[in-house]
Amino acid sequence: MSYIKVWSKFSGSKDPSKKFKIVVAPLDRVQELAEFMANYFVKEENNFRASGVPNSEEALKEYRDYMTQQLNNGAYHAVVCCVDNGNDEEIGDFVGASVTWRTTKDACVEKFQVKAKEYQKFMQLSAGMKTYYDITVKHKQDKYYIDRGIAVHPDYRGYGIAQEFLKVRRMECKEHGVPLTGAWMSAFGTQKAGRRDGWEIVCTIDRHEFITKFDAMHDPNTPPTIEFMIYKI
């Protein structure tokens, strides 16, 4: 039986009787993880929505293929949350996932052939945000953890899972000698979790102005700002 790395065990904030654990994502469930992220991150993350990716089967497939590729080749690292049944040798159904990119200041940008026009628009928005704040330019460190998404199943929101994922990211940084982690927080939930976990807001973008600048779709049910948050170890 293979060893399962358990990063954290915790009780749900709104119901302490609910027990959860965060573990390293199993390599034999990478496609399942990519599907989870497509369903509960891509379909709700603001820049993906502004680009129209959730409404395009072609774009969603490209995302799943890209995420699977990056996880399989080790470029992306993921941890998942599941209900804690008391058996540390079992990983149940995913109720949350956190994906990061372990990178360096001299790392090459990930390469992937993007064909769907919606995915191309998303890439344009991502590049646009980097012109506002580029962690590798602003911070002269050799290694970084950069966010590639946090997702929580709708049935398990409100239990503090997103905030626990941020705590685990800090733990990962300490274990692997990475001095800095950063993330664009573009949803109410992640912005709230980042503040509660003590992350520092180093850049704020007016969402309406940003979306208008790049001729993307406006969503009235999103935060008025996009915030880049960092945590120094």
Side-chain angles (χ1 to χ4, degrees):
M1 185 174 292
S2 61
Y3 170 75
I4 296 173
K5 170 74 172 181
V6 179
W7 277 105
S8 173
K9 291 190 173 190
F10 63 102
S11 300
S13 55
K14 71 177 180 181
D15 183 355
S17 69
K18 299 287 188 181
K19 307 297 183 182
F20 301 95
K21 62 183 177 183
I22 293 178
V23 303
V24 172
L27 293 177
D28 61 349
R29 295 173 67 179
V30 165
Q31 288 186 322
E32 180 184 348
L33 175 57
E35 186 67 31
F36 185 92
M37 293 297 290
N39 287 333
Y40 304 118
F41 176 64
V42 173
K43 292 183 179 180
E44 299 185 12
E45 197 277 333
N46 296 321
N47 280 347
F48 277 114
R49 288 169 62 90
S51 306
V53 171
N55 302 318
S56 167
E57 286 302 322
E58 180 185 9
L60 285 171
K61 182 180 184 305
E62 287 188 343
Y63 171 84
R64 290 192 293 268
D65 290 347
Y66 178 61
M67 181 61 66
T68 299
Q69 170 187 298
Q70 296 298 92
L71 289 166
N72 276 330
N73 67 22
Y76 284 5
H77 173 72
V79 295
V80 295
C81 181
C82 59
V83 174
D84 184 6
N85 62 4
N87 185 348
D88 287 345
E89 298 301 325
E90 290 184 2
I91 301 177
D93 293 337
F94 301 160
V95 302
S98 169
V99 182
T100 54
W101 179 30
R102 294 176 181 172
T103 187
T104 66
K105 62 183 178 63
D106 298 319
C108 296
V109 177
E110 313 109 294
K111 295 181 179 179
F112 188 76
Q113 185 69 29
V114 176
K115 297 179 180 179
K117 66 180 186 301
E118 295 86 359
Y119 209 146
Q120 291 173 356
K121 173 60 72 172
F122 169 77
M123 297 297 287
Q124 181 188 28
L125 291 178
S126 298
M129 288 198 302
K130 199 171 182 179
T131 65
Y132 286 81
Y133 198 93
D134 185 341
I135 189 173
T136 61
V137 173
K138 297 289 186 179
H139 301 273
K140 307 301 182 182
Q141 303 290 345
D142 292 329
K143 296 180 289 186
Y144 307 89
Y145 269 97
I146 297 179
D147 174 65
R148 285 297 179 263
I150 289 177
V152 178
H153 190 288
D155 292 346
Y156 291 89
R157 291 172 188 171
Y159 289 101
I161 293 174
Q163 187 172 342
E164 194 71 16
F165 276 137
L166 295 181
K167 173 184 173 182
V168 168
R169 287 188 182 184
R170 294 189 280 108
M171 294 166 64
E172 290 179 291
C173 283
K174 289 180 181 179
E175 180 164 303
H176 296 287
V178 178
L180 185 68
T181 182
W184 283 106
M185 307 295 197
S186 60
F188 288 111
T190 50
Q191 289 180 354
K192 184 177 181 180
R195 287 182 173 85
R196 284 183 171 178
D197 198 52
W199 288 48
E200 178 186 357
I201 302 171
V202 292
C203 179
T204 301
I205 302 174
D206 181 278
R207 170 168 295 284
H208 186 273
E209 178 183 305
F210 178 75
I211 294 300
T212 300
K213 178 180 179 180
F214 289 94
D215 192 27
M217 294 184 289
H218 290 273
D219 185 343
N221 300 312
T222 56
T225 60
I226 307 168
E227 299 170 347
F228 193 79
M229 296 187 183
I230 63 170
Y231 200 102
K232 298 177 182 178
I233 306 304

